[in-house]
Amino acid sequence: MAFATDLAERRNLDPAWVRQQIGAAQRIPTVIRLMQPAPSGVPKNWAAYRARFIEPVRLRAGQRFWEANRETLARAESEFGVPASLIVGVIGVETLYGQHTGNFRVIDALTTLAFDFPASHPRAAARTEFFRSELEQFLSLTERTATDPLTYLGSYAGAMGWPQFMPSSWVKYAIDFDADGKVDLFNNQADVIGSVANYFKAFGWQPGMPTHYPVRFDPNQSREDFETLLAPDILPSFGVQSFTAKGALLEGPALQHPGQLALVELQNAGAPSSYIAGTENFYVVTRYNWSSYYALAVIELGEAVKALVGER
């Protein structure tokens, strides 16, 4: 209640209304359990992760979505410079084109994580502050749009709509792409498409730049050079000359890449890892979800759907 009073004062909201909304929230033990980090020692498996998303049901749904929204996707690509395939890939991975947008009340999820985030989590303090901020953004958004905060449903983390925007992302990046006077990421596919494109543009998407290139390794590459390339993880940190000098082998257009590259490792459980050379645009895709596995699944799903609809 002290938080509610402080929030109301800072946001110029009715204190009684804010206290009423937070007071109506339910503590959800399932949300706390789902927020626990994965057990250490569980191997990552890119092949298995990829197979969850590049599969027949999602591909067919993606094809239907693209064909139903072809003009809107083309307009978003033209206005924002973000490929239609990337927009389609994100929406497919996030919610299977609106089929799985979440069944948790957003007010419950955010309040639970704002005040009962699992203390055992290695980043508990920072995550608690994050979810308190998201709760504040959510209540401000619903008050400003005169909607009932108790009616919103989303993920266990409080993400909403087809693109699974957190409240702060909704406030910053959601747009009214069909000019009907309101922003609706639950039912309006034009707004969903435009908002995803706007998100990527805001995070620095560079039109025309590939997201990644194939990479191989010089058999004489030293372990030290290999570890140096892996150290920055997904953050592009090496120019082409520096990248190849450390034993990474590129071909064709990759050798002319004008910016920085990252050596991205995708583990395959007990099998050898897969590797790509990620560009600045690959890094932009990870701003949607900070995972190289997620980013590559989004990219590959979008490209697979693009091939199905016959787009060039």
Side-chain angles (χ1 to χ4, degrees):
M1 290 302 101
F3 172 85
T5 301
D6 178 61
L7 186 163
E9 184 176 333
R10 284 184 291 103
R11 290 278 178 166
N12 194 29
L13 301 175
D14 176 6
W17 180 83
V18 176
R19 286 194 294 269
Q20 180 183 8
Q21 306 315 311
I22 293 180
Q26 302 293 311
R27 181 181 184 275
I28 309 294
T30 303
V31 166
I32 299 172
R33 179 176 56 79
L34 290 170
M35 199 52 70
Q36 297 280 6
S40 59
V42 177
K44 295 180 178 179
N45 189 333
W46 161 240
Y49 184 92
R50 182 187 187 279
R52 287 167 49 195
F53 299 107
I54 292 65
E55 48 81 29
V57 170
R58 212 169 296 254
L59 288 169
R60 286 194 296 270
Q63 182 179 6
R64 290 192 298 270
F65 177 79
W66 194 315
E67 289 172 346
N69 294 282
R70 194 181 294 268
E71 291 182 5
T72 305
L73 286 163
R75 181 162 66 90
E77 183 167 330
S78 174
E79 291 186 20
F80 295 97
V82 176
S85 62
L86 184 60
I87 301 168
V88 170
V90 163
I91 300 166
V93 168
E94 287 291 344
T95 58
L96 215 173
Y97 306 100
Q99 293 184 44
H100 304 302
T101 57
N103 294 310
F104 292 91
R105 280 201 319 178
V106 173
I107 189 75
D108 295 338
L110 293 177
T111 304
T112 297
L113 294 171
F115 297 103
D116 285 298
F117 195 88
S120 59
H121 194 285
R123 298 181 58 234
R127 300 303 285 166
T128 293
E129 286 306 308
F130 170 77
F131 283 108
R132 289 188 180 187
S133 174
E134 292 297 330
L135 176 59
E136 178 173 332
Q137 293 277 9
F138 175 67
L139 288 172
S140 298
L141 172 66
T142 56
E143 194 276 341
R144 189 166 61 252
T145 55
T147 51
D148 183 357
L150 304 184
T151 63
Y152 282 71
L153 299 179
S155 76
Y156 67 87
M160 300 180 289
W162 285 43
Q164 291 290 275
F165 273 13
M166 293 298 290
S168 60
S169 292
W170 188 306
V171 170
K172 293 176 188 173
Y173 311 116
I175 60 172
D176 174 15
F177 200 49
D178 66 349
D180 69 350
K182 61 185 178 187
V183 175
D184 182 0
L185 301 185
F186 288 96
N187 305 295
N188 188 315
Q189 294 177 34
D191 289 357
V192 171
I193 289 166
S195 297
V196 171
N198 188 45
Y199 185 100
F200 283 125
K201 182 179 180 180
F203 277 89
W205 179 268
Q206 299 179 53
M209 176 183 287
T211 54
H212 61 285
Y213 302 104
V215 62
R216 295 179 296 110
F217 301 103
D218 185 331
N220 298 315
Q221 180 189 41
S222 72
R223 187 69 194 177
E224 181 181 0
D225 280 345
F226 182 68
E227 295 292 347
T228 299
L229 288 173
L230 280 177
D233 194 24
I234 55 179
L235 180 66
S237 305
F238 305 96
V240 168
Q241 187 175 353
S242 173
F243 198 68
T244 54
K246 292 178 174 58
L249 301 178
L250 302 172
E251 296 177 354
L255 292 168
Q256 307 303 319
H257 182 71
Q260 302 289 96
L261 296 170
L263 180 60
V264 178
E265 180 181 22
L266 300 138
Q267 298 173 9
N268 287 307
S273 294
S274 303
Y275 297 91
I276 60 170
T279 69
E280 293 99 326
N281 272 354
F282 187 84
Y283 186 75
V284 169
V285 181
T286 67
R287 300 310 84 194
Y288 209 100
N289 179 316
W290 292 30
S291 161
S292 53
Y293 298 77
Y294 170 90
L296 196 56
V298 160
I299 293 162
E300 294 197 0
L301 174 61
E303 288 297 328
V305 174
K306 179 180 180 178
L308 280 177
V309 297
E311 288 284 329
R312 284 186 279 175

